[in-house]
Amino acid sequence: MKLLSLNCRGLGCAFKRKEIRKLVRKERVEAIFLQETKLDKVDRSICRNIWGDDNFDWAAKLSVGKAGGLICIWNSGIFKVDSMEVSAHVIWLSGCWGQEQIRINFCNIYSPCQYAEKRNLWEDLTVAMEQEQGKWCLIGDFNSI
């Protein structure tokens, strides 16, 4: 399983998308999780431009103004998503991975900076992890220093 997580600090520039695509190809990444995309519109063509071919599925949380934004792109031949939830700070993908059909939950997180909001996010994730079966991968920018 090869995953890439990156706080891209904006994807408006074609050069950044090209560099991510080169990294995806070079490392044979199977799923990418991008934070702080700063995009208020995401479609399949933008995701194809990042991924590099048509063998993918994707999910996005649009930015609010020029803040935040999340994108998940994965190889649709490897990861079969059967449930997805998008909230203010998380894209949660649940499905089966690979030929072994391993049940896995990915959470692409762009955590808020404020303590109270961060605490609420972790409480919500804790509840979800107690209720859902399978392995968990919490990935992203946790805004922790």
Side-chain angles (χ1 to χ4, degrees):
M1 181 181 299
K2 284 198 171 184
L3 310 176
L4 170 66
S5 175
L6 178 67
N7 181 324
C8 52
R9 292 181 173 79
L11 277 178
C13 172
F15 176 77
K16 273 191 189 179
R17 293 190 301 266
K18 180 181 176 184
E19 290 302 306
I20 294 170
R21 182 175 60 248
K22 285 175 19 182
L23 184 59
V24 167
R25 284 183 180 164
K26 178 183 174 196
E27 298 299 328
R28 297 181 183 168
V29 173
E30 297 164 327
I32 58 179
F33 303 90
L34 303 173
Q35 304 86 40
E36 205 174 355
T37 62
K38 299 183 181 183
L39 295 176
D40 58 6
K41 179 181 183 268
V42 177
D43 59 21
R44 187 165 179 87
S45 66
I46 288 172
C47 294
R48 182 183 309 111
N49 186 256
I50 295 166
W51 188 252
D53 64 37
D54 287 322
N55 190 27
F56 70 93
D57 281 323
W58 63 282
K61 164 67 174 90
L62 302 179
S63 66
V64 177
K66 292 293 180 187
L70 296 164
I71 296 177
C72 304
I73 307 172
W74 61 93
N75 182 321
S76 56
I78 295 175
F79 185 39
K80 304 294 184 191
V81 173
D82 54 43
S83 126
M84 176 187 320
E85 188 174 321
V86 179
S87 65
H89 301 285
V90 179
I91 297 176
W92 172 23
L93 306 171
S94 184
C96 293
W97 187 276
Q99 292 178 341
E100 302 84 11
Q101 295 293 290
I102 298 167
R103 185 85 193 152
I104 191 160
N105 300 279
F106 289 107
C107 289
N108 185 10
I109 300 167
Y110 184 56
S111 178
C113 294
Q114 295 78 17
Y115 176 77
E117 288 182 53
K118 193 177 296 232
R119 185 175 178 91
N120 288 339
L121 170 65
W122 285 106
E123 287 172 359
D124 292 346
L125 288 169
T126 300
V127 168
M129 291 174 72
E130 290 170 349
Q131 294 176 349
E132 291 297 321
Q133 294 181 342
K135 299 181 182 300
W136 283 84
C137 179
L138 305 180
I139 194 166
D141 182 342
F142 299 95
N143 275 317
S144 296
I145 297 177

